[in-house]
C-alpha cells in the first residue's frame, strides 16, 4: 500500500482495508409518503430483501410488484372488473366496500 499525502502536508490518505467484508442492508420505504417500515422489534434494516418484504407485508404494508411498497395509509387498489382505482388507508378502503375475496380487488360497484 502506498502512503500518499494531501498536498505534501504530511496527512496520509487512508486506504480501505482489504480484509473487511462489506454488508448491504435493505430498508422498506413507502413509495407514496417515504415513511420507513419500522417493525415492533426495531429491526428496520434487513440483509435479505425477501425477509424485509415478508415482515412488512405481515404488518399491513402493500407490496406491488418487486419494487413498490405502500404503508397501510397509502394502499393502491385497482378493480379487476372495471379498472377503477383508489388509494388510501387499507381499513377505510375495506369499510368503503372494496373487496378482495378471490385474490383480486373489486370496487364497491362491482362486487
Amino acid at each position: 500500500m502506498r502512503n500518499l499525502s494531501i498536498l505534501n502536508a504530511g496527512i496520509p490518505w487512508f486506504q480501505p482495508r482489504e480484509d473487511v467484508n462489506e454488508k448491504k442492508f435493505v430498508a422498506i420505504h413507502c413509495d407514496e409518503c417515504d415513511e420507513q417500515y419500522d417493525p415492533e422489534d426495531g429491526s428496520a434494516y434487513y440483509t435479505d430483501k425477501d425477509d424485509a418484504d415478508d415482515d412488512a407485508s405481515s404488518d399491513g404494508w402493500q407490496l406491488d410488484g418487486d419494487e413498490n411498497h405502500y404503508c397501510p395509509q397509502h394502499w393502491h387498489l385497482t378493480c379487476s372488473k372495471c379498472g377503477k382505482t383508489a388509494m388510501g388507508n387499507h381499513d377505510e378502503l375495506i369499510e368503503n366496500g372494496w373487496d378482495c375475496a378471490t385474490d383480486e380487488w373489486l370496487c364497491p360497484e362491482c362486487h
Side-chain angles (χ1 to χ4, degrees):
M1 243 190 260
R2 293 187 311 172
N3 186 9
L4 302 175
S5 60
I6 300 173
L7 300 175
N8 296 324
I11 302 171
W13 283 93
F14 291 98
Q15 300 294 321
R17 289 180 46 182
E18 295 175 13
D19 62 333
V20 175
N21 292 327
E22 185 177 303
K23 275 195 172 183
K24 297 193 187 241
F25 290 90
V26 176
I28 303 292
H29 290 263
C30 177
D31 289 322
E32 190 69 37
C33 69
D34 203 36
E35 175 184 344
Q36 181 174 320
Y37 170 63
D38 189 16
E40 290 181 16
D41 66 4
S43 59
Y45 295 95
Y46 293 80
T47 56
D48 183 83
K49 183 182 181 311
D50 291 336
D51 288 344
D53 285 347
D54 289 345
D55 283 358
S57 179
S58 67
D59 282 341
W61 282 60
Q62 181 187 27
L63 309 179
D64 185 12
D66 286 336
E67 299 300 320
N68 297 322
H69 299 87
Y70 300 107
C71 71
Q73 300 301 316
H74 296 110
W75 272 50
H76 289 232
L77 305 181
T78 301
C79 179
S80 62
K81 279 191 178 177
C82 71
K84 179 179 178 179
T85 61
M87 193 262 307
N89 176 284
H90 173 264
D91 294 337
E92 290 176 6
L93 291 166
I94 301 290
E95 289 172 12
N96 289 329
W98 281 84
D99 184 54
C100 185
T102 62
D103 291 335
E104 293 187 4
W105 285 98
L106 296 174
C107 70
E109 292 80 24
C110 291
H111 88 261

